[in-house]
PDB file of all heavy atoms in Angstrom:
ATOM      1  N   LYS A  39       2.419   3.608   3.626  1.00 97.00           N
ATOM      2  CA  LYS A  39       1.709   2.708   2.714  1.00 97.00           C
ATOM      3  C   LYS A  39       0.274   2.453   3.162  1.00 97.00           C
ATOM      4  O   LYS A  39      -0.636   2.333   2.352  1.00 97.00           O
ATOM      5  CB  LYS A  39       2.458   1.390   2.577  1.00 97.00           C
ATOM      6  CG  LYS A  39       3.680   1.518   1.706  1.00 97.00           C
ATOM      7  CD  LYS A  39       4.420   0.211   1.559  1.00 97.00           C
ATOM      8  CE  LYS A  39       5.802   0.446   0.967  1.00 97.00           C
ATOM      9  NZ  LYS A  39       5.754   1.027  -0.376  1.00 97.00           N
ATOM     10  N   ASP A 162       0.136  -6.526   1.182  1.00 98.00           N
ATOM     11  CA  ASP A 162       1.171  -5.987   0.329  1.00 98.00           C
ATOM     12  C   ASP A 162       2.480  -6.142   1.099  1.00 98.00           C
ATOM     13  O   ASP A 162       2.687  -5.430   2.086  1.00 98.00           O
ATOM     14  CB  ASP A 162       0.865  -4.499   0.071  1.00 98.00           C
ATOM     15  CG  ASP A 162       1.717  -3.922  -1.027  1.00 98.00           C
ATOM     16  OD1 ASP A 162       2.516  -4.668  -1.616  1.00 98.00           O
ATOM     17  OD2 ASP A 162       1.599  -2.705  -1.294  1.00 98.00           O
ATOM     18  N   ALA A 164       5.332  -5.062   1.579  1.00 95.00           N
ATOM     19  CA  ALA A 164       6.239  -3.940   1.318  1.00 95.00           C
ATOM     20  C   ALA A 164       6.341  -3.079   2.563  1.00 95.00           C
ATOM     21  O   ALA A 164       5.346  -2.887   3.260  1.00 95.00           O
ATOM     22  CB  ALA A 164       5.682  -3.112   0.157  1.00 95.00           C
ATOM     23  N   THR A 182       0.501  -9.395  -2.675  1.00 98.00           N
ATOM     24  CA  THR A 182       0.756  -8.577  -3.869  1.00 98.00           C
ATOM     25  C   THR A 182       2.169  -7.975  -3.911  1.00 98.00           C
ATOM     26  O   THR A 182       2.326  -6.760  -3.913  1.00 98.00           O
ATOM     27  CB  THR A 182      -0.252  -7.396  -3.933  1.00 98.00           C
ATOM     28  OG1 THR A 182      -0.041  -6.570  -2.764  1.00 98.00           O
ATOM     29  CG2 THR A 182      -1.698  -7.871  -3.962  1.00 98.00           C
ATOM     30  N   PRO A 183       3.208  -8.820  -3.967  1.00 98.00           N
ATOM     31  CA  PRO A 183       4.566  -8.258  -4.016  1.00 98.00           C
ATOM     32  C   PRO A 183       4.899  -7.657  -5.380  1.00 98.00           C
ATOM     33  O   PRO A 183       4.319  -8.079  -6.396  1.00 98.00           O
ATOM     34  CB  PRO A 183       5.439  -9.494  -3.781  1.00 98.00           C
ATOM     35  CG  PRO A 183       4.637 -10.625  -4.329  1.00 98.00           C
ATOM     36  CD  PRO A 183       3.200 -10.276  -4.035  1.00 98.00           C
ATOM     37  N   ASN A 184       5.835  -6.699  -5.421  1.00 96.00           N
ATOM     38  CA  ASN A 184       6.435  -6.335  -6.700  1.00 96.00           C
ATOM     39  C   ASN A 184       7.605  -7.294  -6.938  1.00 96.00           C
ATOM     40  O   ASN A 184       7.812  -8.235  -6.137  1.00 96.00           O
ATOM     41  CB  ASN A 184       6.836  -4.854  -6.744  1.00 96.00           C
ATOM     42  CG  ASN A 184       7.952  -4.511  -5.742  1.00 96.00           C
ATOM     43  OD1 ASN A 184       8.640  -5.393  -5.240  1.00 96.00           O
ATOM     44  ND2 ASN A 184       8.107  -3.249  -5.459  1.00 96.00           N
ATOM     45  N   GLU A 185       8.389  -7.078  -7.982  1.00 96.00           N
ATOM     46  CA  GLU A 185       9.450  -8.060  -8.294  1.00 96.00           C
ATOM     47  C   GLU A 185      10.496  -8.167  -7.193  1.00 96.00           C
ATOM     48  O   GLU A 185      10.925  -9.269  -6.852  1.00 96.00           O
ATOM     49  CB  GLU A 185      10.124  -7.667  -9.612  1.00 96.00           C
ATOM     50  CG  GLU A 185       9.266  -7.920 -10.828  1.00 96.00           C
ATOM     51  CD  GLU A 185       9.864  -7.318 -12.091  1.00 96.00           C
ATOM     52  OE1 GLU A 185       9.983  -6.075 -12.157  1.00 96.00           O
ATOM     53  OE2 GLU A 185      10.216  -8.081 -12.989  1.00 96.00           O
ATOM     54  N   GLU A 187      10.181  -7.435  -3.975  1.00 97.00           N
ATOM     55  CA  GLU A 187       9.598  -8.078  -2.779  1.00 97.00           C
ATOM     56  C   GLU A 187       9.405  -9.577  -3.014  1.00 97.00           C
ATOM     57  O   GLU A 187       9.692 -10.392  -2.109  1.00 97.00           O
ATOM     58  CB  GLU A 187       8.271  -7.388  -2.433  1.00 97.00           C
ATOM     59  CG  GLU A 187       8.476  -5.950  -1.952  1.00 97.00           C
ATOM     60  CD  GLU A 187       7.372  -4.997  -2.372  1.00 97.00           C
ATOM     61  OE1 GLU A 187       6.342  -5.435  -2.924  1.00 97.00           O
ATOM     62  OE2 GLU A 187       7.564  -3.783  -2.169  1.00 97.00           O
ATOM     63  N   VAL A 219       1.919 -10.856  -8.664  1.00 98.00           N
ATOM     64  CA  VAL A 219       3.256 -10.252  -8.718  1.00 98.00           C
ATOM     65  C   VAL A 219       3.198  -9.050  -9.669  1.00 98.00           C
ATOM     66  O   VAL A 219       2.847  -9.191 -10.829  1.00 98.00           O
ATOM     67  CB  VAL A 219       4.335 -11.261  -9.160  1.00 98.00           C
ATOM     68  CG1 VAL A 219       5.711 -10.605  -9.118  1.00 98.00           C
ATOM     69  CG2 VAL A 219       4.302 -12.482  -8.235  1.00 98.00           C
ATOM     70  N   LYS A 220       3.522  -7.863  -9.104  1.00 97.00           N
ATOM     71  CA  LYS A 220       3.434  -6.617  -9.880  1.00 97.00           C
ATOM     72  C   LYS A 220       4.741  -6.387 -10.626  1.00 97.00           C
ATOM     73  O   LYS A 220       5.809  -6.360 -10.023  1.00 97.00           O
ATOM     74  CB  LYS A 220       3.161  -5.448  -8.914  1.00 97.00           C
ATOM     75  CG  LYS A 220       1.842  -5.583  -8.179  1.00 97.00           C
ATOM     76  CD  LYS A 220       1.554  -4.402  -7.257  1.00 97.00           C
ATOM     77  CE  LYS A 220       1.946  -4.687  -5.819  1.00 97.00           C
ATOM     78  NZ  LYS A 220       1.431  -3.695  -4.863  1.00 97.00           N
ATOM     79  N   LEU A 221       4.626  -6.243 -11.948  1.00 97.00           N
ATOM     80  CA  LEU A 221       5.824  -6.095 -12.794  1.00 97.00           C
ATOM     81  C   LEU A 221       5.941  -4.695 -13.381  1.00 97.00           C
ATOM     82  O   LEU A 221       6.325  -4.538 -14.548  1.00 97.00           O
ATOM     83  CB  LEU A 221       5.809  -7.151 -13.899  1.00 97.00           C
ATOM     84  CG  LEU A 221       5.588  -8.605 -13.473  1.00 97.00           C
ATOM     85  CD1 LEU A 221       5.427  -9.511 -14.687  1.00 97.00           C
ATOM     86  CD2 LEU A 221       6.764  -9.098 -12.630  1.00 97.00           C
ATOM     87  N   GLY A 222       5.573  -3.686 -12.604  1.00 95.00           N
ATOM     88  CA  GLY A 222       5.699  -2.315 -13.067  1.00 95.00           C
ATOM     89  C   GLY A 222       5.016  -2.056 -14.396  1.00 95.00           C
ATOM     90  O   GLY A 222       3.863  -2.455 -14.579  1.00 95.00           O
ATOM     91  N   ALA A 223       5.721  -1.431 -15.332  1.00 95.00           N
ATOM     92  CA  ALA A 223       5.123  -1.028 -16.612  1.00 95.00           C
ATOM     93  C   ALA A 223       4.768  -2.206 -17.505  1.00 95.00           C
ATOM     94  O   ALA A 223       4.163  -2.028 -18.563  1.00 95.00           O
ATOM     95  CB  ALA A 223       6.079  -0.093 -17.349  1.00 95.00           C
ATOM     96  N   ARG A 224       5.151  -3.444 -17.099  1.00 96.00           N
ATOM     97  CA  ARG A 224       4.803  -4.593 -17.939  1.00 96.00           C
ATOM     98  C   ARG A 224       3.444  -5.193 -17.596  1.00 96.00           C
ATOM     99  O   ARG A 224       2.770  -5.719 -18.459  1.00 96.00           O
ATOM    100  CB  ARG A 224       5.893  -5.669 -17.826  1.00 96.00           C
ATOM    101  CG  ARG A 224       7.092  -5.347 -18.712  1.00 96.00           C
ATOM    102  CD  ARG A 224       8.323  -6.077 -18.268  1.00 96.00           C
ATOM    103  NE  ARG A 224       8.716  -5.591 -16.956  1.00 96.00           N
ATOM    104  CZ  ARG A 224       9.417  -6.278 -16.063  1.00 96.00           C
ATOM    105  NH1 ARG A 224       9.803  -7.507 -16.347  1.00 96.00           N
ATOM    106  NH2 ARG A 224       9.739  -5.757 -14.921  1.00 96.00           N
ATOM    107  N   GLY A 225       3.055  -5.104 -16.318  1.00 96.00           N
ATOM    108  CA  GLY A 225       1.752  -5.663 -15.939  1.00 96.00           C
ATOM    109  C   GLY A 225       1.851  -6.501 -14.685  1.00 96.00           C
ATOM    110  O   GLY A 225       2.731  -6.255 -13.856  1.00 96.00           O
ATOM    111  N   VAL A 226       0.976  -7.480 -14.550  1.00 98.00           N
ATOM    112  CA  VAL A 226       0.987  -8.326 -13.368  1.00 98.00           C
ATOM    113  C   VAL A 226       0.728  -9.786 -13.727  1.00 98.00           C
ATOM    114  O   VAL A 226       0.025 -10.095 -14.667  1.00 98.00           O
ATOM    115  CB  VAL A 226      -0.049  -7.902 -12.305  1.00 98.00           C
ATOM    116  CG1 VAL A 226       0.101  -6.459 -11.919  1.00 98.00           C
ATOM    117  CG2 VAL A 226      -1.445  -8.138 -12.775  1.00 98.00           C
ATOM    118  N   VAL A 237      -1.991  -9.978 -16.719  1.00 97.00           N
ATOM    119  CA  VAL A 237      -2.751  -8.779 -17.120  1.00 97.00           C
ATOM    120  C   VAL A 237      -1.733  -7.705 -17.506  1.00 97.00           C
ATOM    121  O   VAL A 237      -0.923  -7.285 -16.666  1.00 97.00           O
ATOM    122  CB  VAL A 237      -3.652  -8.280 -15.969  1.00 97.00           C
ATOM    123  CG1 VAL A 237      -4.295  -6.937 -16.323  1.00 97.00           C
ATOM    124  CG2 VAL A 237      -4.734  -9.303 -15.658  1.00 97.00           C
ATOM    125  N   PRO A 238      -1.715  -7.315 -18.763  1.00 97.00           N
ATOM    126  CA  PRO A 238      -0.732  -6.315 -19.190  1.00 97.00           C
ATOM    127  C   PRO A 238      -1.021  -4.963 -18.540  1.00 97.00           C
ATOM    128  O   PRO A 238      -2.174  -4.679 -18.210  1.00 97.00           O
ATOM    129  CB  PRO A 238      -0.917  -6.239 -20.706  1.00 97.00           C
ATOM    130  CG  PRO A 238      -2.274  -6.781 -20.963  1.00 97.00           C
ATOM    131  CD  PRO A 238      -2.603  -7.729 -19.858  1.00 97.00           C
ATOM    132  N   ALA A 239       0.014  -4.153 -18.378  1.00 97.00           N
ATOM    133  CA  ALA A 239      -0.198  -2.798 -17.849  1.00 97.00           C
ATOM    134  C   ALA A 239      -0.859  -1.962 -18.942  1.00 97.00           C
ATOM    135  O   ALA A 239      -0.747  -2.264 -20.129  1.00 97.00           O
ATOM    136  CB  ALA A 239       1.128  -2.181 -17.455  1.00 97.00           C
ATOM    137  N   PHE A 240      -1.565  -0.929 -18.531  1.00 97.00           N
ATOM    138  CA  PHE A 240      -2.107   0.020 -19.499  1.00 97.00           C
ATOM    139  C   PHE A 240      -0.939   0.904 -19.955  1.00 97.00           C
ATOM    140  O   PHE A 240      -0.077   1.254 -19.153  1.00 97.00           O
ATOM    141  CB  PHE A 240      -3.173   0.887 -18.829  1.00 97.00           C
ATOM    142  CG  PHE A 240      -4.444   0.146 -18.503  1.00 97.00           C
ATOM    143  CD1 PHE A 240      -4.621  -0.452 -17.264  1.00 97.00           C
ATOM    144  CD2 PHE A 240      -5.447   0.025 -19.462  1.00 97.00           C
ATOM    145  CE1 PHE A 240      -5.783  -1.150 -16.958  1.00 97.00           C
ATOM    146  CE2 PHE A 240      -6.622  -0.675 -19.168  1.00 97.00           C
ATOM    147  CZ  PHE A 240      -6.786  -1.272 -17.922  1.00 97.00           C
ATOM    148  N   THR A 241      -0.927   1.242 -21.224  1.00 97.00           N
ATOM    149  CA  THR A 241       0.137   2.114 -21.713  1.00 97.00           C
ATOM    150  C   THR A 241      -0.208   3.565 -21.388  1.00 97.00           C
ATOM    151  O   THR A 241      -1.249   4.076 -21.785  1.00 97.00           O
ATOM    152  CB  THR A 241       0.282   1.946 -23.254  1.00 97.00           C
ATOM    153  OG1 THR A 241       0.469   0.571 -23.506  1.00 97.00           O
ATOM    154  CG2 THR A 241       1.437   2.748 -23.783  1.00 97.00           C
ATOM    155  N   VAL A 242       0.667   4.158 -20.596  1.00 96.00           N
ATOM    156  CA  VAL A 242       0.463   5.554 -20.221  1.00 96.00           C
ATOM    157  C   VAL A 242       1.794   6.286 -20.294  1.00 96.00           C
ATOM    158  O   VAL A 242       2.849   5.667 -20.391  1.00 96.00           O
ATOM    159  CB  VAL A 242      -0.109   5.708 -18.776  1.00 96.00           C
ATOM    160  CG1 VAL A 242      -1.519   5.159 -18.693  1.00 96.00           C
ATOM    161  CG2 VAL A 242       0.797   5.034 -17.747  1.00 96.00           C
ATOM    162  N   ALA A 244       4.221   7.714 -18.220  1.00 93.00           N
ATOM    163  CA  ALA A 244       4.525   7.707 -16.784  1.00 93.00           C
ATOM    164  C   ALA A 244       5.469   8.854 -16.431  1.00 93.00           C
ATOM    165  O   ALA A 244       6.449   9.096 -17.126  1.00 93.00           O
ATOM    166  CB  ALA A 244       5.140   6.375 -16.396  1.00 93.00           C
ATOM    167  N   THR A 247       6.306   6.962 -10.561  1.00 90.00           N
ATOM    168  CA  THR A 247       5.562   5.752 -10.168  1.00 90.00           C
ATOM    169  C   THR A 247       5.437   5.597  -8.647  1.00 90.00           C
ATOM    170  O   THR A 247       4.982   4.574  -8.164  1.00 90.00           O
ATOM    171  CB  THR A 247       6.213   4.476 -10.739  1.00 90.00           C
ATOM    172  OG1 THR A 247       7.540   4.384 -10.234  1.00 90.00           O
ATOM    173  CG2 THR A 247       6.237   4.506 -12.251  1.00 90.00           C
ATOM    174  N   VAL A 248       5.800   6.670  -7.905  1.00 88.00           N
ATOM    175  CA  VAL A 248       5.602   6.610  -6.443  1.00 88.00           C
ATOM    176  C   VAL A 248       4.117   6.363  -6.170  1.00 88.00           C
ATOM    177  O   VAL A 248       3.262   6.993  -6.782  1.00 88.00           O
ATOM    178  CB  VAL A 248       6.063   7.924  -5.776  1.00 88.00           C
ATOM    179  CG1 VAL A 248       5.629   7.971  -4.317  1.00 88.00           C
ATOM    180  CG2 VAL A 248       7.565   8.074  -5.889  1.00 88.00           C
ATOM    181  N   ALA A 249       3.849   5.422  -5.290  1.00 92.00           N
ATOM    182  CA  ALA A 249       2.478   5.066  -4.883  1.00 92.00           C
ATOM    183  C   ALA A 249       1.699   4.297  -5.947  1.00 92.00           C
ATOM    184  O   ALA A 249       0.505   4.029  -5.764  1.00 92.00           O
ATOM    185  CB  ALA A 249       1.676   6.268  -4.407  1.00 92.00           C
ATOM    186  N   ALA A 250       2.334   3.922  -7.059  1.00 95.00           N
ATOM    187  CA  ALA A 250       1.623   3.106  -8.069  1.00 95.00           C
ATOM    188  C   ALA A 250       1.193   1.783  -7.443  1.00 95.00           C
ATOM    189  O   ALA A 250       0.087   1.304  -7.679  1.00 95.00           O
ATOM    190  CB  ALA A 250       2.507   2.869  -9.291  1.00 95.00           C
ATOM    191  N   GLY A 251       2.075   1.208  -6.632  1.00 95.00           N
ATOM    192  CA  GLY A 251       1.751  -0.061  -5.977  1.00 95.00           C
ATOM    193  C   GLY A 251       0.587   0.101  -5.000  1.00 95.00           C
ATOM    194  O   GLY A 251      -0.288  -0.773  -4.918  1.00 95.00           O
ATOM    195  N   ASP A 252       0.557   1.218  -4.275  1.00 97.00           N
ATOM    196  CA  ASP A 252      -0.559   1.454  -3.333  1.00 97.00           C
ATOM    197  C   ASP A 252      -1.850   1.669  -4.115  1.00 97.00           C
ATOM    198  O   ASP A 252      -2.911   1.201  -3.714  1.00 97.00           O
ATOM    199  CB  ASP A 252      -0.255   2.668  -2.459  1.00 97.00           C
ATOM    200  CG  ASP A 252       0.932   2.425  -1.534  1.00 97.00           C
ATOM    201  OD1 ASP A 252       1.115   1.260  -1.121  1.00 97.00           O
ATOM    202  OD2 ASP A 252       1.660   3.378  -1.227  1.00 97.00           O
ATOM    203  N   PHE A 254      -2.505   0.393  -7.000  1.00 98.00           N
ATOM    204  CA  PHE A 254      -2.882  -0.918  -7.492  1.00 98.00           C
ATOM    205  C   PHE A 254      -3.709  -1.657  -6.426  1.00 98.00           C
ATOM    206  O   PHE A 254      -4.779  -2.191  -6.712  1.00 98.00           O
ATOM    207  CB  PHE A 254      -1.652  -1.754  -7.859  1.00 98.00           C
ATOM    208  CG  PHE A 254      -1.990  -3.132  -8.373  1.00 98.00           C
ATOM    209  CD1 PHE A 254      -2.117  -3.373  -9.727  1.00 98.00           C
ATOM    210  CD2 PHE A 254      -2.222  -4.172  -7.474  1.00 98.00           C
ATOM    211  CE1 PHE A 254      -2.469  -4.639 -10.186  1.00 98.00           C
ATOM    212  CE2 PHE A 254      -2.567  -5.434  -7.922  1.00 98.00           C
ATOM    213  CZ  PHE A 254      -2.690  -5.681  -9.282  1.00 98.00           C
ATOM    214  N   GLY A 275      -6.956  -2.798 -10.549  1.00 98.00           N
ATOM    215  CA  GLY A 275      -5.697  -2.461  -9.898  1.00 98.00           C
ATOM    216  C   GLY A 275      -4.719  -1.861 -10.885  1.00 98.00           C
ATOM    217  O   GLY A 275      -4.091  -0.832 -10.632  1.00 98.00           O
ATOM    218  N   ALA A 276      -4.612  -2.514 -12.060  1.00 98.00           N
ATOM    219  CA  ALA A 276      -3.675  -2.032 -13.101  1.00 98.00           C
ATOM    220  C   ALA A 276      -4.079  -0.640 -13.581  1.00 98.00           C
ATOM    221  O   ALA A 276      -3.185   0.205 -13.825  1.00 98.00           O
ATOM    222  CB  ALA A 276      -3.655  -3.020 -14.261  1.00 98.00           C
ATOM    223  N   ALA A 277      -5.372  -0.374 -13.680  1.00 98.00           N
ATOM    224  CA  ALA A 277      -5.832   0.947 -14.117  1.00 98.00           C
ATOM    225  C   ALA A 277      -5.474   2.018 -13.083  1.00 98.00           C
ATOM    226  O   ALA A 277      -4.957   3.088 -13.426  1.00 98.00           O
ATOM    227  CB  ALA A 277      -7.339   0.931 -14.366  1.00 98.00           C
ATOM    228  N   ALA A 278      -5.709   1.700 -11.810  1.00 98.00           N
ATOM    229  CA  ALA A 278      -5.398   2.667 -10.754  1.00 98.00           C
ATOM    230  C   ALA A 278      -3.882   2.901 -10.677  1.00 98.00           C
ATOM    231  O   ALA A 278      -3.414   4.042 -10.532  1.00 98.00           O
ATOM    232  CB  ALA A 278      -5.924   2.174  -9.408  1.00 98.00           C
ATOM    233  N   GLY A 279      -3.091   1.835 -10.826  1.00 97.00           N
ATOM    234  CA  GLY A 279      -1.643   1.949 -10.802  1.00 97.00           C
ATOM    235  C   GLY A 279      -1.141   2.804 -11.972  1.00 97.00           C
ATOM    236  O   GLY A 279      -0.266   3.662 -11.795  1.00 97.00           O
ATOM    237  N   ALA A 280      -1.690   2.560 -13.144  1.00 97.00           N
ATOM    238  CA  ALA A 280      -1.266   3.317 -14.333  1.00 97.00           C
ATOM    239  C   ALA A 280      -1.594   4.802 -14.173  1.00 97.00           C
ATOM    240  O   ALA A 280      -0.769   5.671 -14.464  1.00 97.00           O
ATOM    241  CB  ALA A 280      -1.955   2.745 -15.575  1.00 97.00           C
ATOM    242  N   LEU A 281      -2.802   5.084 -13.685  1.00 97.00           N
ATOM    243  CA  LEU A 281      -3.194   6.493 -13.493  1.00 97.00           C
ATOM    244  C   LEU A 281      -2.278   7.174 -12.475  1.00 97.00           C
ATOM    245  O   LEU A 281      -1.884   8.324 -12.681  1.00 97.00           O
ATOM    246  CB  LEU A 281      -4.659   6.581 -13.052  1.00 97.00           C
ATOM    247  CG  LEU A 281      -5.686   6.439 -14.193  1.00 97.00           C
ATOM    248  CD1 LEU A 281      -7.078   6.212 -13.633  1.00 97.00           C
ATOM    249  CD2 LEU A 281      -5.660   7.670 -15.094  1.00 97.00           C
ATOM    250  N   ALA A 283       0.749   6.543 -11.961  1.00 95.00           N
ATOM    251  CA  ALA A 283       2.071   6.751 -12.587  1.00 95.00           C
ATOM    252  C   ALA A 283       2.091   7.982 -13.481  1.00 95.00           C
ATOM    253  O   ALA A 283       3.161   8.494 -13.805  1.00 95.00           O
ATOM    254  CB  ALA A 283       2.458   5.507 -13.390  1.00 95.00           C
TER     255      ALA A 283
HETATM  256  P1  LIG B 401       5.370  -0.929  -6.693  1.00 94.62           P
HETATM  257  O1  LIG B 401       5.002   0.524  -6.687  1.00 94.62           O
HETATM  258  O2  LIG B 401       4.850  -1.689  -5.513  1.00 94.62           O
HETATM  259  O3  LIG B 401       6.797  -1.186  -7.010  1.00 94.62           O
HETATM  260  P2  LIG B 401       4.728  -1.375  -9.442  1.00 94.62           P
HETATM  261  O4  LIG B 401       5.739  -0.345  -9.800  1.00 94.62           O
HETATM  262  O5  LIG B 401       4.853  -2.721 -10.060  1.00 94.62           O
HETATM  263  O6  LIG B 401       4.544  -1.568  -7.888  1.00 94.62           O
HETATM  264  O7  LIG B 401       3.320  -0.749  -9.847  1.00 94.62           O
HETATM  265  C1  LIG B 401       2.107  -1.348  -9.490  1.00 94.62           C
HETATM  266  C2  LIG B 401       1.195  -1.467 -10.683  1.00 94.62           C
HETATM  267  O8  LIG B 401       0.904  -0.166 -11.209  1.00 94.62           O
HETATM  268  C3  LIG B 401       1.816  -2.238 -11.848  1.00 94.62           C
HETATM  269  O9  LIG B 401       1.632  -3.613 -11.701  1.00 94.62           O
HETATM  270  C4  LIG B 401       1.061  -1.657 -13.037  1.00 94.62           C
HETATM  271  O10 LIG B 401      -0.190  -2.253 -13.152  1.00 94.62           O
HETATM  272  C5  LIG B 401       0.884  -0.204 -12.629  1.00 94.62           C
HETATM  273  N1  LIG B 401       2.020   0.601 -13.149  1.00 94.62           N
HETATM  274  C6  LIG B 401       3.150   0.960 -12.499  1.00 94.62           C
HETATM  275  N2  LIG B 401       3.992   1.649 -13.312  1.00 94.62           N
HETATM  276  C7  LIG B 401       3.343   1.757 -14.490  1.00 94.62           C
HETATM  277  C8  LIG B 401       3.657   2.367 -15.758  1.00 94.62           C
HETATM  278  N3  LIG B 401       4.819   2.997 -15.943  1.00 94.62           N
HETATM  279  N4  LIG B 401       2.749   2.258 -16.759  1.00 94.62           N
HETATM  280  C9  LIG B 401       1.582   1.633 -16.583  1.00 94.62           C
HETATM  281  N5  LIG B 401       1.227   1.013 -15.423  1.00 94.62           N
HETATM  282  C10 LIG B 401       2.079   1.089 -14.397  1.00 94.62           C
END
Side-chain angles (χ1 to χ4, degrees):
K39 285 181 194 298
D162 192 2
T182 62
N184 65 17
E185 287 170 296
E187 292 145 8
V219 183
K220 298 182 263 192
L221 308 173
R224 279 159 295 154
V226 305
V237 172
F240 290 92
T241 305
V242 292
T247 60
V248 170
D252 294 328
F254 180 94
L281 280 167

